[in-house]
Amino acid sequence: MKTALAVAFALAALCHAGPVNYTQKYTWKNVRTGASGGFVDGIVFSTKQKGVAYARTDIGGLYRLNADDSWTPLQDYVNNTLWNEHGVDAVALDPNDASRVYIAAGIYTNSWDPYNGKILSSTDYGKTWSRSYFPFKFGGNMGGRQMGERLAVDPNKGSIIYFGARSGKGLWKSSDYGKTWAKVPSYTAVGTFIIAPGDTGQNGDIIGITFVTFDSTSSSAGTASKRIFVGTADTSATVYMSEDAGVTWSAIPGQPTGFLSHTGKYSPTEKALYVSYVNTADTYGGGDGYVYKYYVESKKWVQILDDNGTGFGFGGLSLDPQKNGTVMVATYHQWWPDGNIYRSLDGGATWTTIWDFDWSGVQPPVKRRFDWDVSEANWLPEVTGDKATGWMMGSLAIDPFDSEHFLYGTGATIFGSHKLTNWDKNINFNLSSLSYGMEETAVLGLTSPPQGPPLLSVVGDVGGWRHDNLDVAPYKNHLNPWWGTTRSIDHAGSKPNIVVRSGDASGGLALSNDTGITWHIHANAGTWSGGRAQLSANGDFVVWAVNNGIYVSVNEYPFQKVPNIPSGSYYTANDRNHNGLFYAAESSNFYVSTDAGTSYTKTTASIGYIREIGVNPFRIGDVWVATDSGIWHSIDSGKSFGKAGPATDAYHIQLGKSATSSGYPSIFAAATIQGWAGHYRSDECVP
Ligand SMILES: *[C@@H]1O[C@H](CO)[C@@H](O)[C@H](O)[C@H]1NC(C)=O
Ligand SMILES: *[C@@H]1O[C@H](CO)[C@@H](O)[C@H](O)[C@H]1NC(C)=O
Ligand SMILES: *[C@@H]1O[C@H](CO)[C@@H](O)[C@H](O)[C@H]1NC(C)=O
Ligand SMILES: *[C@@H]1O[C@H](CO)[C@@H](O)[C@H](O)[C@H]1NC(C)=O
Ligand SMILES: *[C@@H]1O[C@H](CO)[C@@H](O)[C@H](O)[C@H]1NC(C)=O
Ligand SMILES: *[C@@H]1O[C@H](CO)[C@@H](O)[C@H](O)[C@H]1NC(C)=O
């Protein structure tokens, strides 16, 4: 989870006026969810050292594989000037030195991301990084993020690295292990393809280069490889080659046109480049495609697979370096009935698929070559529906040291197996979700009730969970109702068994009276969706900030709109002890209701733009507020506020169990103090 619960860093003391103690160390662990819950768009194995592999994600950073199939996050650092590094646009390993890893970091090429892209280099397996700054942006969460790897290290000379940019910025080269970079002037095929021209979101920019790969046999160790292949998202010519170590480049003659090259992999034993093709780079698209082989000696292109216009194209492609002619390719995005994977043992002359159509009665109409194993993330079926293999399959990797082991990324997890060659013996193998330790959900709400489970979460896309044990993956997500994106969750202060959540669906409000085991839709949820729902101390009132207003329902009777507040986007929080005491904020205005939400009164507080309200669960009327001018405190239900501590900006604030004998809760805040943005804690704020 990308929240305070998931990150490794030092908290510092917050509230006292003296110097902040930045040296205090905390041990943070990830809450185990069992699977990424988000898009894994690149997986790369080391060809130098067995067991070394990395997976990149679009919003969750880079992960390194462990021997037990789990993944270690390498970018769970918190620093508000480095947040865009969680979008990883490409990853490359040095085939000469297993400890070296490089990533292209930067999340959006549009204005949402104020920072330019960087190549991050590590010489210690991703534990620490040094940064090389580029004069333009990268797009780890832009359209086309699952195209093949656009960053690659020369297998004959590790100091040489190529990076293919987006946005028409061309091909870049480093000759000093990623420290400095220069544009390759002779490479002019910067790409023309745009998923949706004019789009101001993730799909309006030039995709640019799709892959870079080398012919390792084109020189010898210590000398730059002569033959280099570059894929470019351009339907008129999409595969380029240099045969003079990158001095000159040209489109390979005779190549297929009309499609985009996705992934290129060179087979030294066959002296051939394999290329997968798709007709778009749309993250959720994929209409048509084929797979070709280019033989460098005869200079011939040969088609080895065609989807015959059945609507999916081809994405992730991998060769088994231990088995000449063994190749696997995934469909780019076959939504129905399921993503497919093709495997050939004879260089693409003949293929078998991970499932075949079988109309004899089962739904979906497929006969599977595998047994589906989601024991590490048993909640996945709720997300995947009737699909097993998944979708958005832009990366697939056979372990170069173990022909039994392969992995591929999907929109929700990583699947893989340790019994891959069962495929060739017509024996089913376990296709397992293998992404534990990897977490890239957008956490939208957390609550920790004083009884029952230690944590209830709600997240984007995959719903959220009741976490009975923080070290064990939850068995199921919130069900009946299940909503993909769930926006808020709250427990009642005096009756913590009562829980409410709101989510993105018509009738998107549900209640539980057993701390989130069973749920029912609020009797008067109507057709409203999303928003932020809060319970009164006794759990009988629900306050729902939705539809630009605040609505209150008691005992599931119809919601009444609070009449005397202007329209706006409200943040609400209720007192945990006093059943009628509710708080609300809208931009810089703070409101209090003492009559269970029948009416709200604006207080005269002038405390800046309000981002979050934290209530003291043990003392009536004791409220803390995070604003763009810092942290503010009130002991009279928000009638008056005093500035608390040295924070100059604050994003979140919440109160928890007391750490001292004073009994006053510990306060946790995400804030900027003395110029350092981070997470802070105070045990000393007794008013
Ligand atoms: C800061 O925290 C460290 C680690 O907990 C502790 O050893 C040190 O005494 C603290 N310094 C101050 C000035 O409180
Ligand atoms: C690899 O297979 C190809 C046929 O696909 C064959 O021509 C070639 O000799 C083989 N190479 C090796 C090293 O086995
Ligand atoms: C496409 O059609 C050809 C010729 O009928 C067939 O051999 C091939 O298997 C088909 N491709 C797929 C992906 O079904
Ligand atoms: C396959 O997965 C199931 C759980 O889904 C597990 O019980 C079984 O042991 C696995 N088999 C192998 C060979 O790993
Ligand atoms: C708890 O909720 C269920 C419906 O989800 C309802 O049938 C039951 O009566 C409720 N129990 C209490 C004690 O409110
Ligand atoms: C955040 O990152 C920037 C850029 O690397 C660095 O200068 C700064 O010291 C970091 N801040 C913290 C609090 O680590």
Side-chain angles (χ1 to χ4, degrees):
M1 298 187 178
K2 295 292 147 227
T3 71
L5 289 165
V7 291
F9 62 101
L11 285 168
L14 152 77
C15 203
H16 63 104
V20 173
N21 187 351
Y22 286 111
T23 61
Q24 194 159 354
K25 292 283 184 268
Y26 289 74
T27 304
W28 290 82
K29 289 199 302 183
N30 283 55
V31 174
R32 187 156 173 165
T33 60
S36 77
F39 189 14
V40 182
D41 43 10
I43 301 172
V44 177
F45 275 94
S46 171
T47 51
K48 180 79 179 174
Q49 184 181 340
K50 184 173 164 63
V52 175
Y54 297 82
R56 66 180 170 95
T57 67
D58 54 1
I59 63 166
L62 186 74
Y63 295 80
R64 189 181 56 235
L65 182 65
N66 301 309
D68 65 355
D69 286 332
S70 70
W71 297 85
T72 296
L74 299 174
Q75 291 185 278
D76 274 6
Y77 39 76
V78 171
N79 178 326
N80 68 339
T81 67
L82 302 179
W83 63 270
N84 78 328
E85 293 183 0
H86 294 150
V88 183
D89 213 358
V91 55
L93 307 189
D94 185 340
N96 316 280
D97 178 348
S99 67
R100 288 187 189 266
V101 50
Y102 302 89
I103 57 173
I107 198 161
Y108 298 110
T109 63
N110 41 30
S111 60
W112 309 332
D113 182 349
Y115 302 111
N116 282 334
K118 285 163 248 171
I119 302 283
L120 273 57
S121 313
S122 173
T123 55
D124 55 9
Y125 298 90
K127 284 191 207 74
T128 60
W129 299 97
S130 51
R131 294 174 168 78
S132 175
Y133 294 78
F134 274 64
F136 51 84
K137 296 177 183 180
F138 298 175
N141 197 31
M142 296 294 283
R145 53 196 181 271
Q146 74 269 53
M147 302 304 273
E149 297 302 327
R150 53 173 83 218
L151 186 66
V153 181
D154 191 323
N156 286 302
K157 197 170 184 187
S159 54
I160 296 177
I161 311 168
Y162 285 90
F163 170 62
R166 292 173 178 269
S167 317
K169 302 291 186 186
L171 183 68
W172 290 65
K173 180 181 178 183
S174 172
S175 300
D176 56 5
Y177 297 95
K179 283 188 206 68
T180 61
W181 291 82
K183 192 172 176 178
V184 178
S186 57
Y187 189 87
T188 54
V190 299
T192 54
F193 187 82
I194 299 172
I195 296 165
D199 177 50
T200 55
Q202 287 149 287
N203 293 330
D205 197 7
I206 289 175
I207 298 295
I209 284 157
T210 58
F211 71 83
V212 179
T213 197
F214 297 85
D215 172 0
S216 59
T217 63
S218 63
S219 78
S220 52
T223 310
S225 298
K226 288 204 170 56
R227 189 175 290 122
I228 311 166
F229 302 97
V230 172
T232 284
D234 186 330
T235 52
S236 61
T238 185
V239 184
Y240 286 73
M241 183 169 69
S242 173
E243 296 197 286
D244 53 13
V247 179
T248 61
W249 297 86
S250 53
I252 303 179
Q255 66 179 284
T257 58
F259 291 85
L260 308 177
S261 61
H262 181 287
T263 296
K265 294 278 169 69
Y266 189 75
S267 166
T269 49
E270 298 177 87
K271 297 186 171 46
L273 178 76
Y274 286 81
V275 185
S276 57
Y277 291 84
V278 60
N279 67 334
T280 181
D282 190 350
T283 312
Y284 314 102
D288 198 0
Y290 38 52
V291 181
Y292 271 77
K293 245 165 124 172
Y294 173 67
Y295 290 93
V296 296
E297 287 180 337
S298 65
K299 302 190 193 313
K300 287 215 164 59
W301 287 89
V302 176
Q303 187 185 90
I304 54 170
L305 189 57
D306 185 358
D307 71 3
N308 301 322
T310 48
F312 40 82
F314 293 100
L317 183 149
S318 186
L319 308 177
D320 183 343
Q322 299 197 76
K323 295 192 170 189
N324 183 28
T326 292
V327 51
M328 291 170 74
V329 59
T331 52
Y332 177 83
H333 185 64
Q334 183 168 8
W335 182 252
W336 187 89
D338 208 349
N340 213 338
I341 298 173
Y342 290 71
R343 179 170 166 91
S344 171
L345 307 178
D346 53 14
T350 58
W351 298 88
T352 48
T353 47
I354 202 167
W355 57 259
D356 286 308
F357 276 107
D358 171 7
W359 302 97
S360 65
V362 287
Q363 288 294 329
V366 298
K367 181 172 178 297
R368 291 170 179 164
R369 203 175 274 283
F370 60 87
D371 298 319
W372 201 46
D373 169 25
V374 290
S375 49
E376 283 297 335
N378 194 70
W379 49 267
L380 264 179
E382 202 61 42
V383 179
T384 58
D386 57 6
K387 291 161 215 338
T389 48
W391 55 89
M392 292 152 67
M393 288 150 58
S395 70
L396 183 148
I398 302 171
D399 186 336
F401 292 93
D402 180 1
S403 298
E404 298 290 351
H405 184 204
F406 88 115
L407 298 170
Y408 67 92
T410 78
T413 188
I414 288 176
F415 281 112
S417 184
H418 287 284
K419 288 279 177 209
L420 177 58
T421 67
N422 276 9
W423 182 320
D424 311 325
K425 300 166 202 147
N426 286 316
I427 301 169
N428 272 27
F429 56 91
N430 266 15
L431 185 71
S432 309
S433 170
L434 296 177
S435 73
Y436 45 98
M438 184 176 281
E439 287 158 23
E440 59 154 344
T441 53
V443 179
L444 301 178
L446 298 171
T447 195
S448 181
Q451 298 161 17
L455 182 69
L456 297 162
S457 65
V458 292
V459 304
D461 295 341
V462 298
W465 303 274
R466 179 186 145 118
H467 303 267
D468 288 292
N469 180 335
L470 301 179
D471 297 319
V472 176
Y475 190 68
K476 285 289 180 194
N477 25 26
H478 301 305
L479 297 178
N480 304 316
W482 183 76
W483 306 312
T485 293
T486 306
R487 296 275 166 189
S488 74
I489 190 155
D490 188 37
H491 70 271
S494 311
K495 295 186 179 169
N497 58 305
I498 303 178
V499 184
V500 68
R501 65 184 160 101
S502 66
D504 288 4
S506 175
L509 189 73
L511 292 163
S512 168
N513 57 27
D514 51 16
T515 335
I517 298 170
T518 60
W519 296 87
H520 65 274
I521 294 182
H522 186 287
N524 280 288
T527 57
W528 292 346
S529 161
R532 176 180 168 83
Q534 295 276 294
L535 289 166
S536 63
N538 292 345
D540 46 0
F541 291 84
V542 177
V543 179
W544 198 3
V546 68
N547 290 345
N548 287 318
I550 300 181
Y551 299 79
V552 181
S553 161
V554 57
N555 292 324
E556 296 196 45
Y557 280 96
F559 278 95
Q560 304 294 322
K561 186 172 203 289
V562 176
N564 65 328
I565 53 167
S567 285
S569 178
Y570 287 89
Y571 183 94
T572 58
N574 296 342
D575 194 276
R576 297 270 178 219
N577 302 285
H578 187 293
N579 205 41
L581 191 53
F582 299 168
Y583 305 110
E586 209 289 315
S587 67
S588 299
N589 302 313
F590 189 89
Y591 296 85
V592 60
S593 170
T594 53
D595 55 8
T598 310
S599 62
Y600 280 81
T601 310
K602 186 166 131 183
T603 72
T604 53
S606 175
I607 54 177
Y609 186 90
I610 300 167
R611 298 209 179 94
E612 190 161 299
I613 302 169
V615 291
N616 181 345
F618 309 112
R619 187 181 291 184
I620 291 167
D622 191 338
V623 192
W624 295 78
V625 180
T627 82
D628 65 359
S629 70
I631 294 168
W632 297 79
H633 183 207
S634 170
I635 52 171
D636 57 8
S637 299
K639 286 191 200 67
S640 60
F641 281 93
K643 186 87 190 293
T648 50
D649 199 346
Y651 319 97
H652 293 287
I653 189 153
Q654 288 298 330
L655 285 76
K657 187 176 175 179
S658 177
T660 66
S661 56
S662 77
Y664 196 81
S666 289
I667 302 167
F668 298 86
T672 301
I673 297 182
Q674 293 169 1
W676 283 52
H679 289 73
Y680 293 85
R681 165 182 166 189
S682 176
D683 302 325
E684 303 163 39
C685 292
V686 185

